[in-house]
Amino acid sequence: MTRSGKQEVTLGLVGVGRIGTMHARNITGLNGLMGPQGTSVHLKLTDVAAEHARSLAGGIGAEFLPSVEALLDSGIDGLVIATGTATHPGLIRAGVDAGIPVFCEKPVAVNVEESLPVLDHIRTTGGTVQIGHQRRFDPGYLEAKRAFDAGELGWLHTVRAVTCDMTPPPVEFLATSGGLFRDCSVHDFDILRWLTGKEIVEVFAKGSNNGDPAIGSVGDVDTALAVVTFDDGSVGTVSATRYNGAGHDVRLELQGSAGSVMVGMDEQMAMSSAEPGVGFPAGPPHMTFAERFHTAYRAEMAAFVEVVLGQRQNPCTPEDAVAASMVADAAQASLQSGEPVRVALQAAG
């Protein structure tokens, strides 16, 4: 990893679909930006769509390899997984068995039950796996956490988390995503645990379908709200929708006994004021999650390079990710039953 006093890291990337392509560009864009002397970051990548992967590699100065096996055998320092969820367990195991740190997009597996053996394998091998919950690296969420940890908000009496996509993903994706709470609100569940340091112990959820009937036909809803109860008895709400015509809207309100802050209240928030004479916000709204969290995604990958170099602790463990998934499971179960559901926290270990 070091040549002539300068650090060098070679990452291997598996999967160059939409989010994998974004990661590939972010990784190659890190060169010279990290550390006082700069860190040289090299990228090797592979995908079953070989021609697309080869073309992408050529365009960003990366190296294309024909298979995961070839990638792991090529001497990489860390593995980045951006493939479909069903492939995550096998690729995580392959990475930790190769003795290198792994970054994997959430979730660990298609459900909590299948995630638990993966956690056991990581622990047994002593592996390091960072899961991609990028909001932990967003400047607004980081500042909200700093303010809360510093006592500036006092004790929290209410939290409100909002995630609104401008348009829904393809119905084919929704048919296998596990539902709105699992593929969307899980980010909110993760950030609430991370920011407050509290566990969510109960969820009560409701949902509706007023958009494309096909979403309902595959067992999902297009809009939902969950009332969450934390382990200290405080409460919050987590809401999500697939249809927010104003733009991609992600916010978090923390209201405390001494102060309140809102994440996402900037010039590009997908909202307008109804008050006369108020022109805020003036900027164009974000259209996609990639735009909204561009800075966070780059910081997330820079953090993984630091993990590979041994310069920082893992900022998002697989146990963290599974704990958030357990809350999402409880929310989906409540949505189906119409009753509050307790969260099975003990299974995260």
PDB file of all heavy atoms in Angstrom, residues 34 101-103 126-131 133 136-137 142 194 299-320:
ATOM      1  N   MET A  34      -7.039  12.869  -0.572  1.00  0.00           N
ATOM      2  CA  MET A  34      -7.031  12.324   0.784  1.00  0.00           C
ATOM      3  C   MET A  34      -5.654  12.407   1.417  1.00  0.00           C
ATOM      4  O   MET A  34      -4.659  11.990   0.810  1.00  0.00           O
ATOM      5  CB  MET A  34      -7.502  10.872   0.771  1.00  0.00           C
ATOM      6  CG  MET A  34      -8.907  10.684   0.232  1.00  0.00           C
ATOM      7  SD  MET A  34      -9.356   8.943   0.185  1.00  0.00           S
ATOM      8  CE  MET A  34      -9.241   8.515   1.926  1.00  0.00           C
ATOM      9  N   PRO A 101     -10.675  -5.836   3.659  1.00  0.00           N
ATOM     10  CA  PRO A 101     -11.892  -5.125   4.048  1.00  0.00           C
ATOM     11  C   PRO A 101     -12.892  -5.080   2.898  1.00  0.00           C
ATOM     12  O   PRO A 101     -12.516  -5.052   1.722  1.00  0.00           O
ATOM     13  CB  PRO A 101     -11.393  -3.722   4.395  1.00  0.00           C
ATOM     14  CG  PRO A 101      -9.943  -3.890   4.690  1.00  0.00           C
ATOM     15  CD  PRO A 101      -9.479  -4.987   3.770  1.00  0.00           C
ATOM     16  N   VAL A 102     -14.164  -5.081   3.257  1.00  0.00           N
ATOM     17  CA  VAL A 102     -15.252  -5.111   2.274  1.00  0.00           C
ATOM     18  C   VAL A 102     -16.191  -3.937   2.515  1.00  0.00           C
ATOM     19  O   VAL A 102     -16.528  -3.621   3.658  1.00  0.00           O
ATOM     20  CB  VAL A 102     -16.043  -6.432   2.375  1.00  0.00           C
ATOM     21  CG1 VAL A 102     -17.265  -6.416   1.453  1.00  0.00           C
ATOM     22  CG2 VAL A 102     -15.145  -7.624   2.057  1.00  0.00           C
ATOM     23  N   PHE A 103     -16.598  -3.304   1.436  1.00  0.00           N
ATOM     24  CA  PHE A 103     -17.703  -2.346   1.469  1.00  0.00           C
ATOM     25  C   PHE A 103     -18.848  -2.967   0.686  1.00  0.00           C
ATOM     26  O   PHE A 103     -18.658  -3.422  -0.446  1.00  0.00           O
ATOM     27  CB  PHE A 103     -17.310  -1.012   0.820  1.00  0.00           C
ATOM     28  CG  PHE A 103     -18.461  -0.038   0.689  1.00  0.00           C
ATOM     29  CD1 PHE A 103     -18.682   0.920   1.668  1.00  0.00           C
ATOM     30  CD2 PHE A 103     -19.331  -0.096  -0.393  1.00  0.00           C
ATOM     31  CE1 PHE A 103     -19.747   1.804   1.571  1.00  0.00           C
ATOM     32  CE2 PHE A 103     -20.403   0.780  -0.497  1.00  0.00           C
ATOM     33  CZ  PHE A 103     -20.609   1.730   0.479  1.00  0.00           C
ATOM     34  N   GLY A 126     -12.990 -12.668  11.579  1.00  0.00           N
ATOM     35  CA  GLY A 126     -12.385 -11.399  11.978  1.00  0.00           C
ATOM     36  C   GLY A 126     -12.398 -10.379  10.863  1.00  0.00           C
ATOM     37  O   GLY A 126     -11.544  -9.474  10.820  1.00  0.00           O
ATOM     38  N   GLY A 127     -13.368 -10.504   9.962  1.00  0.00           N
ATOM     39  CA  GLY A 127     -13.439  -9.615   8.816  1.00  0.00           C
ATOM     40  C   GLY A 127     -13.967  -8.229   9.153  1.00  0.00           C
ATOM     41  O   GLY A 127     -14.601  -8.014  10.184  1.00  0.00           O
ATOM     42  N   THR A 128     -13.690  -7.297   8.256  1.00  0.00           N
ATOM     43  CA  THR A 128     -14.200  -5.934   8.360  1.00  0.00           C
ATOM     44  C   THR A 128     -15.121  -5.668   7.184  1.00  0.00           C
ATOM     45  O   THR A 128     -14.693  -5.771   6.024  1.00  0.00           O
ATOM     46  CB  THR A 128     -13.053  -4.902   8.352  1.00  0.00           C
ATOM     47  OG1 THR A 128     -12.228  -5.113   9.497  1.00  0.00           O
ATOM     48  CG2 THR A 128     -13.605  -3.485   8.369  1.00  0.00           C
ATOM     49  N   VAL A 129     -16.386  -5.343   7.468  1.00  0.00           N
ATOM     50  CA  VAL A 129     -17.360  -5.075   6.416  1.00  0.00           C
ATOM     51  C   VAL A 129     -18.087  -3.777   6.733  1.00  0.00           C
ATOM     52  O   VAL A 129     -18.753  -3.661   7.762  1.00  0.00           O
ATOM     53  CB  VAL A 129     -18.383  -6.228   6.280  1.00  0.00           C
ATOM     54  CG1 VAL A 129     -19.398  -5.906   5.179  1.00  0.00           C
ATOM     55  CG2 VAL A 129     -17.664  -7.544   5.980  1.00  0.00           C
ATOM     56  N   GLN A 130     -17.935  -2.808   5.865  1.00  0.00           N
ATOM     57  CA  GLN A 130     -18.642  -1.530   5.988  1.00  0.00           C
ATOM     58  C   GLN A 130     -19.878  -1.585   5.096  1.00  0.00           C
ATOM     59  O   GLN A 130     -19.787  -1.913   3.914  1.00  0.00           O
ATOM     60  CB  GLN A 130     -17.745  -0.371   5.559  1.00  0.00           C
ATOM     61  CG  GLN A 130     -18.431   0.998   5.581  1.00  0.00           C
ATOM     62  CD  GLN A 130     -17.526   2.107   5.072  1.00  0.00           C
ATOM     63  OE1 GLN A 130     -16.296   1.998   5.115  1.00  0.00           O
ATOM     64  NE2 GLN A 130     -18.122   3.184   4.573  1.00  0.00           N
ATOM     65  N   ILE A 131     -21.047  -1.250   5.665  1.00  0.00           N
ATOM     66  CA  ILE A 131     -22.286  -1.262   4.899  1.00  0.00           C
ATOM     67  C   ILE A 131     -22.646   0.154   4.457  1.00  0.00           C
ATOM     68  O   ILE A 131     -22.436   1.119   5.192  1.00  0.00           O
ATOM     69  CB  ILE A 131     -23.437  -1.881   5.728  1.00  0.00           C
ATOM     70  CG1 ILE A 131     -23.061  -3.295   6.171  1.00  0.00           C
ATOM     71  CG2 ILE A 131     -24.726  -1.914   4.905  1.00  0.00           C
ATOM     72  CD1 ILE A 131     -22.832  -4.286   5.045  1.00  0.00           C
ATOM     73  N   HIS A 133     -24.668   2.827   4.312  1.00  0.00           N
ATOM     74  CA  HIS A 133     -25.713   3.756   4.753  1.00  0.00           C
ATOM     75  C   HIS A 133     -25.109   5.159   4.686  1.00  0.00           C
ATOM     76  O   HIS A 133     -24.575   5.688   5.660  1.00  0.00           O
ATOM     77  CB  HIS A 133     -26.183   3.408   6.166  1.00  0.00           C
ATOM     78  CG  HIS A 133     -27.205   2.317   6.197  1.00  0.00           C
ATOM     79  ND1 HIS A 133     -28.487   2.491   5.712  1.00  0.00           N
ATOM     80  CD2 HIS A 133     -27.149   1.040   6.631  1.00  0.00           C
ATOM     81  CE1 HIS A 133     -29.178   1.367   5.860  1.00  0.00           C
ATOM     82  NE2 HIS A 133     -28.381   0.468   6.402  1.00  0.00           N
ATOM     83  N   ARG A 136     -24.939   8.744   6.978  1.00  0.00           N
ATOM     84  CA  ARG A 136     -24.020   8.980   8.097  1.00  0.00           C
ATOM     85  C   ARG A 136     -22.886   9.930   7.716  1.00  0.00           C
ATOM     86  O   ARG A 136     -22.161  10.411   8.592  1.00  0.00           O
ATOM     87  CB  ARG A 136     -23.425   7.656   8.584  1.00  0.00           C
ATOM     88  CG  ARG A 136     -24.448   6.684   9.177  1.00  0.00           C
ATOM     89  CD  ARG A 136     -23.780   5.409   9.639  1.00  0.00           C
ATOM     90  NE  ARG A 136     -24.732   4.477  10.261  1.00  0.00           N
ATOM     91  CZ  ARG A 136     -24.453   3.706  11.303  1.00  0.00           C
ATOM     92  NH1 ARG A 136     -23.235   3.738  11.836  1.00  0.00           N
ATOM     93  NH2 ARG A 136     -25.352   2.895  11.814  1.00  0.00           N
ATOM     94  N   PHE A 137     -22.709  10.190   6.416  1.00  0.00           N
ATOM     95  CA  PHE A 137     -21.629  11.046   5.937  1.00  0.00           C
ATOM     96  C   PHE A 137     -22.138  12.369   5.373  1.00  0.00           C
ATOM     97  O   PHE A 137     -21.356  13.182   4.903  1.00  0.00           O
ATOM     98  CB  PHE A 137     -20.814  10.309   4.861  1.00  0.00           C
ATOM     99  CG  PHE A 137     -20.248   9.014   5.353  1.00  0.00           C
ATOM    100  CD1 PHE A 137     -20.964   7.831   5.219  1.00  0.00           C
ATOM    101  CD2 PHE A 137     -19.009   8.974   5.978  1.00  0.00           C
ATOM    102  CE1 PHE A 137     -20.460   6.628   5.689  1.00  0.00           C
ATOM    103  CE2 PHE A 137     -18.499   7.776   6.451  1.00  0.00           C
ATOM    104  CZ  PHE A 137     -19.221   6.609   6.307  1.00  0.00           C
ATOM    105  N   LEU A 142     -24.492  15.024   9.996  1.00  0.00           N
ATOM    106  CA  LEU A 142     -23.334  15.105  10.879  1.00  0.00           C
ATOM    107  C   LEU A 142     -23.449  16.287  11.838  1.00  0.00           C
ATOM    108  O   LEU A 142     -23.128  16.183  13.030  1.00  0.00           O
ATOM    109  CB  LEU A 142     -22.051  15.216  10.056  1.00  0.00           C
ATOM    110  CG  LEU A 142     -21.601  13.925   9.356  1.00  0.00           C
ATOM    111  CD1 LEU A 142     -20.517  14.238   8.328  1.00  0.00           C
ATOM    112  CD2 LEU A 142     -21.095  12.912  10.374  1.00  0.00           C
ATOM    113  N   TRP A 194     -28.336   5.742  14.759  1.00  0.00           N
ATOM    114  CA  TRP A 194     -26.970   6.296  14.772  1.00  0.00           C
ATOM    115  C   TRP A 194     -26.936   7.656  15.443  1.00  0.00           C
ATOM    116  O   TRP A 194     -26.062   7.932  16.270  1.00  0.00           O
ATOM    117  CB  TRP A 194     -26.465   6.386  13.334  1.00  0.00           C
ATOM    118  CG  TRP A 194     -25.187   7.141  13.149  1.00  0.00           C
ATOM    119  CD1 TRP A 194     -23.917   6.700  13.412  1.00  0.00           C
ATOM    120  CD2 TRP A 194     -25.041   8.473  12.634  1.00  0.00           C
ATOM    121  NE1 TRP A 194     -23.000   7.676  13.084  1.00  0.00           N
ATOM    122  CE2 TRP A 194     -23.660   8.763  12.613  1.00  0.00           C
ATOM    123  CE3 TRP A 194     -25.952   9.432  12.172  1.00  0.00           C
ATOM    124  CZ2 TRP A 194     -23.176   9.991  12.155  1.00  0.00           C
ATOM    125  CZ3 TRP A 194     -25.457  10.645  11.726  1.00  0.00           C
ATOM    126  CH2 TRP A 194     -24.087  10.925  11.723  1.00  0.00           C
ATOM    127  N   ALA A 299     -17.898  11.022   0.409  1.00  0.00           N
ATOM    128  CA  ALA A 299     -17.288  10.918   1.731  1.00  0.00           C
ATOM    129  C   ALA A 299     -17.328   9.486   2.248  1.00  0.00           C
ATOM    130  O   ALA A 299     -16.404   9.030   2.927  1.00  0.00           O
ATOM    131  CB  ALA A 299     -18.002  11.857   2.699  1.00  0.00           C
ATOM    132  N   GLU A 300     -18.389   8.771   1.915  1.00  0.00           N
ATOM    133  CA  GLU A 300     -18.527   7.379   2.323  1.00  0.00           C
ATOM    134  C   GLU A 300     -17.412   6.523   1.725  1.00  0.00           C
ATOM    135  O   GLU A 300     -16.809   5.688   2.414  1.00  0.00           O
ATOM    136  CB  GLU A 300     -19.884   6.867   1.867  1.00  0.00           C
ATOM    137  CG  GLU A 300     -20.155   5.398   2.096  1.00  0.00           C
ATOM    138  CD  GLU A 300     -21.494   4.989   1.521  1.00  0.00           C
ATOM    139  OE1 GLU A 300     -21.684   5.078   0.282  1.00  0.00           O
ATOM    140  OE2 GLU A 300     -22.375   4.585   2.307  1.00  0.00           O
ATOM    141  N   MET A 301     -17.120   6.737   0.445  1.00  0.00           N
ATOM    142  CA  MET A 301     -16.070   5.943  -0.194  1.00  0.00           C
ATOM    143  C   MET A 301     -14.688   6.366   0.291  1.00  0.00           C
ATOM    144  O   MET A 301     -13.788   5.524   0.438  1.00  0.00           O
ATOM    145  CB  MET A 301     -16.181   6.068  -1.717  1.00  0.00           C
ATOM    146  CG  MET A 301     -15.545   4.919  -2.471  1.00  0.00           C
ATOM    147  SD  MET A 301     -16.031   3.258  -1.907  1.00  0.00           S
ATOM    148  CE  MET A 301     -17.815   3.294  -2.162  1.00  0.00           C
ATOM    149  N   ALA A 302     -14.515   7.653   0.587  1.00  0.00           N
ATOM    150  CA  ALA A 302     -13.249   8.096   1.176  1.00  0.00           C
ATOM    151  C   ALA A 302     -13.054   7.446   2.538  1.00  0.00           C
ATOM    152  O   ALA A 302     -11.923   7.053   2.899  1.00  0.00           O
ATOM    153  CB  ALA A 302     -13.237   9.622   1.310  1.00  0.00           C
ATOM    154  N   ALA A 303     -14.139   7.305   3.294  1.00  0.00           N
ATOM    155  CA  ALA A 303     -14.053   6.645   4.601  1.00  0.00           C
ATOM    156  C   ALA A 303     -13.638   5.187   4.442  1.00  0.00           C
ATOM    157  O   ALA A 303     -12.861   4.668   5.255  1.00  0.00           O
ATOM    158  CB  ALA A 303     -15.398   6.741   5.324  1.00  0.00           C
ATOM    159  N   PHE A 304     -14.152   4.514   3.406  1.00  0.00           N
ATOM    160  CA  PHE A 304     -13.766   3.118   3.201  1.00  0.00           C
ATOM    161  C   PHE A 304     -12.278   3.010   2.886  1.00  0.00           C
ATOM    162  O   PHE A 304     -11.600   2.081   3.363  1.00  0.00           O
ATOM    163  CB  PHE A 304     -14.595   2.481   2.089  1.00  0.00           C
ATOM    164  CG  PHE A 304     -14.222   1.041   1.834  1.00  0.00           C
ATOM    165  CD1 PHE A 304     -14.330   0.098   2.840  1.00  0.00           C
ATOM    166  CD2 PHE A 304     -13.773   0.627   0.581  1.00  0.00           C
ATOM    167  CE1 PHE A 304     -13.978  -1.236   2.623  1.00  0.00           C
ATOM    168  CE2 PHE A 304     -13.430  -0.694   0.346  1.00  0.00           C
ATOM    169  CZ  PHE A 304     -13.534  -1.626   1.366  1.00  0.00           C
ATOM    170  N   VAL A 305     -11.749   3.930   2.095  1.00  0.00           N
ATOM    171  CA  VAL A 305     -10.314   3.918   1.826  1.00  0.00           C
ATOM    172  C   VAL A 305      -9.540   4.072   3.135  1.00  0.00           C
ATOM    173  O   VAL A 305      -8.521   3.397   3.361  1.00  0.00           O
ATOM    174  CB  VAL A 305      -9.937   5.036   0.833  1.00  0.00           C
ATOM    175  CG1 VAL A 305      -8.414   5.161   0.707  1.00  0.00           C
ATOM    176  CG2 VAL A 305     -10.540   4.757  -0.542  1.00  0.00           C
ATOM    177  N   GLU A 306     -10.026   4.928   4.025  1.00  0.00           N
ATOM    178  CA  GLU A 306      -9.371   5.097   5.326  1.00  0.00           C
ATOM    179  C   GLU A 306      -9.463   3.820   6.168  1.00  0.00           C
ATOM    180  O   GLU A 306      -8.526   3.482   6.903  1.00  0.00           O
ATOM    181  CB  GLU A 306      -9.996   6.270   6.077  1.00  0.00           C
ATOM    182  CG  GLU A 306      -9.692   7.617   5.421  1.00  0.00           C
ATOM    183  CD  GLU A 306     -10.466   8.760   6.052  1.00  0.00           C
ATOM    184  OE1 GLU A 306     -11.425   8.483   6.811  1.00  0.00           O
ATOM    185  OE2 GLU A 306     -10.121   9.928   5.787  1.00  0.00           O
ATOM    186  N   VAL A 307     -10.587   3.110   6.065  1.00  0.00           N
ATOM    187  CA  VAL A 307     -10.718   1.821   6.745  1.00  0.00           C
ATOM    188  C   VAL A 307      -9.684   0.838   6.197  1.00  0.00           C
ATOM    189  O   VAL A 307      -9.013   0.121   6.947  1.00  0.00           O
ATOM    190  CB  VAL A 307     -12.148   1.258   6.594  1.00  0.00           C
ATOM    191  CG1 VAL A 307     -12.215  -0.195   7.072  1.00  0.00           C
ATOM    192  CG2 VAL A 307     -13.147   2.107   7.378  1.00  0.00           C
ATOM    193  N   VAL A 308      -9.557   0.794   4.873  1.00  0.00           N
ATOM    194  CA  VAL A 308      -8.584  -0.098   4.235  1.00  0.00           C
ATOM    195  C   VAL A 308      -7.168   0.222   4.712  1.00  0.00           C
ATOM    196  O   VAL A 308      -6.361  -0.677   4.972  1.00  0.00           O
ATOM    197  CB  VAL A 308      -8.677   0.023   2.703  1.00  0.00           C
ATOM    198  CG1 VAL A 308      -7.519  -0.716   2.022  1.00  0.00           C
ATOM    199  CG2 VAL A 308     -10.008  -0.529   2.202  1.00  0.00           C
ATOM    200  N   LEU A 309      -6.866   1.512   4.866  1.00  0.00           N
ATOM    201  CA  LEU A 309      -5.536   1.943   5.293  1.00  0.00           C
ATOM    202  C   LEU A 309      -5.326   1.811   6.801  1.00  0.00           C
ATOM    203  O   LEU A 309      -4.230   2.069   7.297  1.00  0.00           O
ATOM    204  CB  LEU A 309      -5.307   3.401   4.878  1.00  0.00           C
ATOM    205  CG  LEU A 309      -5.146   3.661   3.383  1.00  0.00           C
ATOM    206  CD1 LEU A 309      -5.172   5.156   3.097  1.00  0.00           C
ATOM    207  CD2 LEU A 309      -3.849   3.044   2.861  1.00  0.00           C
ATOM    208  N   GLY A 310      -6.384   1.432   7.514  1.00  0.00           N
ATOM    209  CA  GLY A 310      -6.278   1.313   8.964  1.00  0.00           C
ATOM    210  C   GLY A 310      -6.279   2.642   9.685  1.00  0.00           C
ATOM    211  O   GLY A 310      -5.812   2.744  10.829  1.00  0.00           O
ATOM    212  N   GLN A 311      -6.819   3.677   9.044  1.00  0.00           N
ATOM    213  CA  GLN A 311      -6.784   5.022   9.611  1.00  0.00           C
ATOM    214  C   GLN A 311      -8.046   5.371  10.397  1.00  0.00           C
ATOM    215  O   GLN A 311      -8.097   6.418  11.038  1.00  0.00           O
ATOM    216  CB  GLN A 311      -6.575   6.051   8.494  1.00  0.00           C
ATOM    217  CG  GLN A 311      -5.238   5.922   7.790  1.00  0.00           C
ATOM    218  CD  GLN A 311      -5.110   6.854   6.609  1.00  0.00           C
ATOM    219  OE1 GLN A 311      -6.095   7.437   6.131  1.00  0.00           O
ATOM    220  NE2 GLN A 311      -3.894   7.009   6.109  1.00  0.00           N
ATOM    221  N   ARG A 312      -9.080   4.550  10.324  1.00  0.00           N
ATOM    222  CA  ARG A 312     -10.300   4.833  11.076  1.00  0.00           C
ATOM    223  C   ARG A 312     -11.049   3.534  11.359  1.00  0.00           C
ATOM    224  O   ARG A 312     -10.824   2.514  10.702  1.00  0.00           O
ATOM    225  CB  ARG A 312     -11.206   5.816  10.326  1.00  0.00           C
ATOM    226  CG  ARG A 312     -11.875   5.258   9.088  1.00  0.00           C
ATOM    227  CD  ARG A 312     -12.815   6.273   8.447  1.00  0.00           C
ATOM    228  NE  ARG A 312     -13.962   6.577   9.303  1.00  0.00           N
ATOM    229  CZ  ARG A 312     -14.811   7.580   9.074  1.00  0.00           C
ATOM    230  NH1 ARG A 312     -14.620   8.384   8.043  1.00  0.00           N
ATOM    231  NH2 ARG A 312     -15.824   7.790   9.876  1.00  0.00           N
ATOM    232  N   GLN A 313     -11.932   3.599  12.339  1.00  0.00           N
ATOM    233  CA  GLN A 313     -12.787   2.468  12.647  1.00  0.00           C
ATOM    234  C   GLN A 313     -13.901   2.360  11.618  1.00  0.00           C
ATOM    235  O   GLN A 313     -14.255   3.325  10.943  1.00  0.00           O
ATOM    236  CB  GLN A 313     -13.385   2.631  14.050  1.00  0.00           C
ATOM    237  CG  GLN A 313     -12.358   2.603  15.177  1.00  0.00           C
ATOM    238  CD  GLN A 313     -11.678   1.249  15.284  1.00  0.00           C
ATOM    239  OE1 GLN A 313     -12.333   0.207  15.317  1.00  0.00           O
ATOM    240  NE2 GLN A 313     -10.352   1.274  15.360  1.00  0.00           N
ATOM    241  N   ASN A 314     -14.483   1.177  11.517  1.00  0.00           N
ATOM    242  CA  ASN A 314     -15.597   0.944  10.605  1.00  0.00           C
ATOM    243  C   ASN A 314     -16.763   1.869  10.968  1.00  0.00           C
ATOM    244  O   ASN A 314     -17.299   1.793  12.071  1.00  0.00           O
ATOM    245  CB  ASN A 314     -16.037  -0.523  10.704  1.00  0.00           C
ATOM    246  CG  ASN A 314     -17.085  -0.894   9.681  1.00  0.00           C
ATOM    247  OD1 ASN A 314     -17.616  -0.050   8.968  1.00  0.00           O
ATOM    248  ND2 ASN A 314     -17.389  -2.178   9.616  1.00  0.00           N
ATOM    249  N   PRO A 315     -17.200   2.761  10.052  1.00  0.00           N
ATOM    250  CA  PRO A 315     -18.257   3.722  10.389  1.00  0.00           C
ATOM    251  C   PRO A 315     -19.671   3.180  10.287  1.00  0.00           C
ATOM    252  O   PRO A 315     -20.615   3.842  10.729  1.00  0.00           O
ATOM    253  CB  PRO A 315     -18.034   4.842   9.368  1.00  0.00           C
ATOM    254  CG  PRO A 315     -17.475   4.135   8.177  1.00  0.00           C
ATOM    255  CD  PRO A 315     -16.612   3.021   8.731  1.00  0.00           C
ATOM    256  N   CYS A 316     -19.849   2.000   9.716  1.00  0.00           N
ATOM    257  CA  CYS A 316     -21.192   1.402   9.638  1.00  0.00           C
ATOM    258  C   CYS A 316     -21.047  -0.106   9.556  1.00  0.00           C
ATOM    259  O   CYS A 316     -20.789  -0.661   8.488  1.00  0.00           O
ATOM    260  CB  CYS A 316     -21.978   1.926   8.440  1.00  0.00           C
ATOM    261  SG  CYS A 316     -23.698   1.345   8.406  1.00  0.00           S
ATOM    262  N   THR A 317     -21.209  -0.768  10.684  1.00  0.00           N
ATOM    263  CA  THR A 317     -20.988  -2.202  10.756  1.00  0.00           C
ATOM    264  C   THR A 317     -22.166  -2.982  10.185  1.00  0.00           C
ATOM    265  O   THR A 317     -23.282  -2.456  10.089  1.00  0.00           O
ATOM    266  CB  THR A 317     -20.774  -2.640  12.207  1.00  0.00           C
ATOM    267  OG1 THR A 317     -22.021  -2.483  12.927  1.00  0.00           O
ATOM    268  CG2 THR A 317     -19.677  -1.824  12.877  1.00  0.00           C
ATOM    269  N   PRO A 318     -21.956  -4.247   9.825  1.00  0.00           N
ATOM    270  CA  PRO A 318     -23.083  -5.069   9.381  1.00  0.00           C
ATOM    271  C   PRO A 318     -24.107  -5.275  10.487  1.00  0.00           C
ATOM    272  O   PRO A 318     -25.301  -5.425  10.208  1.00  0.00           O
ATOM    273  CB  PRO A 318     -22.424  -6.379   8.949  1.00  0.00           C
ATOM    274  CG  PRO A 318     -21.059  -6.370   9.544  1.00  0.00           C
ATOM    275  CD  PRO A 318     -20.658  -4.939   9.677  1.00  0.00           C
ATOM    276  N   GLU A 319     -23.673  -5.273  11.749  1.00  0.00           N
ATOM    277  CA  GLU A 319     -24.627  -5.361  12.853  1.00  0.00           C
ATOM    278  C   GLU A 319     -25.552  -4.150  12.868  1.00  0.00           C
ATOM    279  O   GLU A 319     -26.754  -4.275  13.135  1.00  0.00           O
ATOM    280  CB  GLU A 319     -23.882  -5.473  14.191  1.00  0.00           C
ATOM    281  CG  GLU A 319     -23.244  -6.828  14.433  1.00  0.00           C
ATOM    282  CD  GLU A 319     -21.888  -7.000  13.763  1.00  0.00           C
ATOM    283  OE1 GLU A 319     -21.392  -6.032  13.139  1.00  0.00           O
ATOM    284  OE2 GLU A 319     -21.310  -8.108  13.857  1.00  0.00           O
ATOM    285  N   ASP A 320     -24.985  -2.961  12.597  1.00  0.00           N
ATOM    286  CA  ASP A 320     -25.810  -1.752  12.485  1.00  0.00           C
ATOM    287  C   ASP A 320     -26.864  -1.917  11.396  1.00  0.00           C
ATOM    288  O   ASP A 320     -28.041  -1.576  11.576  1.00  0.00           O
ATOM    289  CB  ASP A 320     -24.942  -0.541  12.124  1.00  0.00           C
ATOM    290  CG  ASP A 320     -24.087  -0.053  13.275  1.00  0.00           C
ATOM    291  OD1 ASP A 320     -24.492  -0.242  14.434  1.00  0.00           O
ATOM    292  OD2 ASP A 320     -23.021   0.532  13.003  1.00  0.00           O
TER     293      ASP A 320
END
